[in-house]
Amino acid sequence: MLCDNRTKKQAEAIGDTLEMVQALNNIGTDYRRMGVLEMAQDYHYRAYAICKASTDSSFTARKNRVVALNGLGNIYLTLGNYARADSALRLALAGERELNSPLGQAINYANIGSIFRQRGLTDSAFAYFRKSMGLNLQINNQLGISLCHIYFGELYEKNNNYSKAINEYETALTPMQAMKDEWHAINPLIALAGIYVKTGNYSKALHYLDTARGIAQNIKSTEHKAEIYSLYYKLYKRMGDTRAALEWHEKVADMHDSIMDMEKLNRIQNAGLLIERNRQAKDMNEAQLSLKSERATRSAYAIIFSIVVTILLGAIGMFIYIQRIHRRNHLVLKKLAEMRETFFTNLTHEFRTPLTIILGLSQVLRKSKNEEVIQHLCKKQGHNPADAS
């Protein structure tokens, strides 16, 4: 959590909204796992509020929004506010569909199925868990597949169908042990121990309880220990071993006292965290102002860019128009030049032909020996006939 807080502060310092929202969601998730739901809700809601106000439509921004909704939905589910949990988780599911994320959809289908299970609507719960299972199988998500088997087992156990429940729990346990995922593997162990206590198979119940207790001690899970100790008490009570049952009953009481002490500590921490929340509310307001400023800057840049593009397009259009006018004028002048050249060529041709004929005939006549013709020509030209001869 310290790392997430440091990341959040660094993101705020450089104005990285995406990184800041991711840090808020991570802190909210940490508080949720610690059971400090009030603070978890506050962080997830702040992350969601920033995402909602932002105009960023990138994949990361949309994923941050979905994660915040999923966190809020799980908090409401834990608090028993099923209506709000259903609303938040369905919005998260719709977001995962838009992101085309089979894993995200599988998680939210399972969460919605848990709402129906808590409400006692077994058929609807089965339907949503099956949808989750289908998506997990599609992407070969072994953890998701195993969790779905646990969900199926819980529903079968609720309907007193213990044989099917045992089969589902055992199916879930094998891959979890192979993955060495102790946090998740302890749940089917406890579930199997509980069924075998109910059905009177005490040897198997002890086997699973001993294994689960070792894991609980290893992962230091107080809540799991309390559940395991309670099953030990029930087991020895059913077996008639009152002394052992009393010992485990005392351990259960001590564990509950320990849990109560932890809850008191959490309340004390919450009181201190309220001060932090007020400070963070101020940071939130500053972040929102920064976001608004960022949006205003983006809008200004967009307007300036639009104006520049419009001017450039106008200039290009004007240039193209002028080029067309010049080209048209050039073609007209060229056509006029061709017409003038053709006119003078034809005119020259029309004059040259008769002149050539006249000149030719005059030469012939000059060379003629006919005196009568010579005298006539000379008179016409003003020459003396004697000179011509």
Side-chain angles (χ1 to χ4, degrees), residues 294-304:
E294 181 183 344
R295 289 172 63 184
T297 304
R298 287 182 182 177
S299 299
Y301 284 149
I303 292 170
I304 293 170

Side-chain angles (χ1 to χ4, degrees), residues 173 177 181-197 203-232 235 248 255:
L173 178 61
Q177 288 177 329
D181 188 345
E182 292 184 323
W183 183 267
H184 286 102
I186 195 171
N187 293 314
L189 287 168
I190 294 172
L192 285 167
I195 286 182
Y196 285 128
V197 168
S203 59
K204 283 191 174 182
L206 275 172
H207 167 71
Y208 286 116
L209 280 174
D210 290 341
T211 306
R213 181 158 58 100
I215 294 174
Q217 290 173 347
N218 189 39
I219 63 176
K220 298 177 181 179
S221 173
T222 305
E223 292 182 2
H224 285 126
K225 284 181 181 178
E227 194 173 358
I228 292 166
Y229 293 171
S230 179
L231 283 173
Y232 271 119
L235 171 65
W248 285 107
M255 190 60 64

Side-chain angles (χ1 to χ4, degrees), residues 39-253:
M39 292 302 299
Q41 180 180 358
D42 180 62
Y43 275 95
H44 282 308
Y45 184 77
R46 288 169 60 195
Y48 175 69
I50 294 174
C51 291
K52 191 175 180 180
S54 175
T55 57
D56 191 348
S57 59
S58 65
F59 178 89
T60 304
R62 289 184 291 162
K63 188 67 176 180
N64 284 341
R65 176 179 175 273
V66 170
V67 171
L69 284 167
N70 180 270
L72 289 170
N74 277 286
I75 291 168
Y76 296 140
L77 178 59
T78 304
L79 294 172
N81 191 337
Y82 301 131
R84 296 191 71 178
D86 185 83
S87 176
L89 291 171
R90 287 187 187 278
L91 286 173
L93 177 60
E96 295 290 4
R97 283 176 182 158
E98 291 177 2
L99 295 171
N100 194 27
S101 171
L103 177 59
Q105 292 178 61
I107 291 170
N108 283 286
Y109 272 126
N111 288 333
I112 295 172
S114 296
I115 295 174
F116 286 112
R117 181 187 61 196
Q118 294 293 339
R119 287 176 167 176
L121 302 173
T122 306
D123 291 340
S124 296
F126 262 121
Y128 277 88
F129 288 145
R130 288 192 183 103
K131 287 181 180 180
S132 179
M133 175 64 87
L135 289 164
N136 282 311
L137 289 170
Q138 178 183 326
I139 59 176
N140 194 29
N141 178 23
Q142 291 299 316
L143 177 58
I145 293 168
S146 298
L147 289 173
C148 284
H149 281 300
I150 292 175
Y151 302 147
F152 292 145
E154 289 172 347
L155 292 176
Y156 284 129
E157 184 177 357
K158 197 169 185 178
N159 291 334
N160 298 322
N161 193 338
Y162 297 132
S163 59
K164 286 188 176 181
I166 288 170
N167 183 59
E168 294 290 346
Y169 290 142
E170 288 178 344
T171 303
L173 178 61
T174 303
M176 284 183 174
Q177 288 177 329
M179 288 185 288
K180 297 182 180 179
D181 188 345
E182 292 184 323
W183 183 267
H184 286 102
I186 195 171
N187 293 314
L189 287 168
I190 294 172
L192 285 167
I195 286 182
Y196 285 128
V197 168
K198 289 179 183 177
T199 56
N201 193 334
Y202 302 135
S203 59
K204 283 191 174 182
L206 275 172
H207 167 71
Y208 286 116
L209 280 174
D210 290 341
T211 306
R213 181 158 58 100
I215 294 174
Q217 290 173 347
N218 189 39
I219 63 176
K220 298 177 181 179
S221 173
T222 305
E223 292 182 2
H224 285 126
K225 284 181 181 178
E227 194 173 358
I228 292 166
Y229 293 171
S230 179
L231 283 173
Y232 271 119
Y233 163 70
K234 291 178 182 178
L235 171 65
Y236 285 113
K237 184 179 179 181
R238 283 176 174 266
M239 292 175 64
D241 191 339
T242 53
R243 183 175 180 177
L246 181 59
E247 289 178 359
W248 285 107
H249 181 71
E250 290 175 352
K251 289 183 179 181
V252 170

Side-chain angles (χ1 to χ4, degrees), residues 19 107 147 201 248-249 256 291 295 309 330 332 336 387:
E19 193 70 29
I107 291 170
L147 289 173
N201 193 334
W248 285 107
H249 181 71
H256 281 302
L291 184 60
R295 289 172 63 184
V309 169
H330 175 73
V332 170
L336 287 172
D387 294 338

Side-chain angles (χ1 to χ4, degrees), residues 235-300:
L235 171 65
Y236 285 113
K237 184 179 179 181
R238 283 176 174 266
M239 292 175 64
D241 191 339
T242 53
R243 183 175 180 177
L246 181 59
E247 289 178 359
W248 285 107
H249 181 71
E250 290 175 352
K251 289 183 179 181
V252 170
D254 291 340
M255 190 60 64
H256 281 302
D257 289 341
S258 176
I259 292 173
M260 291 297 293
D261 290 340
M262 288 182 65
E263 290 178 354
K264 290 178 182 177
L265 179 62
N266 285 336
R267 283 196 292 271
I268 294 170
Q269 289 176 340
N270 285 343
L273 289 170
L274 285 174
I275 299 172
E276 182 188 355
R277 193 201 305 188
N278 292 330
R279 182 185 62 79
Q280 289 168 350
K282 182 180 177 182
D283 294 342
M284 178 73 170
N285 291 331
E286 292 176 356
Q288 288 178 341
L289 290 173
S290 175
L291 184 60
K292 288 180 180 178
S293 174
E294 181 183 344
R295 289 172 63 184
T297 304
R298 287 182 182 177
S299 299

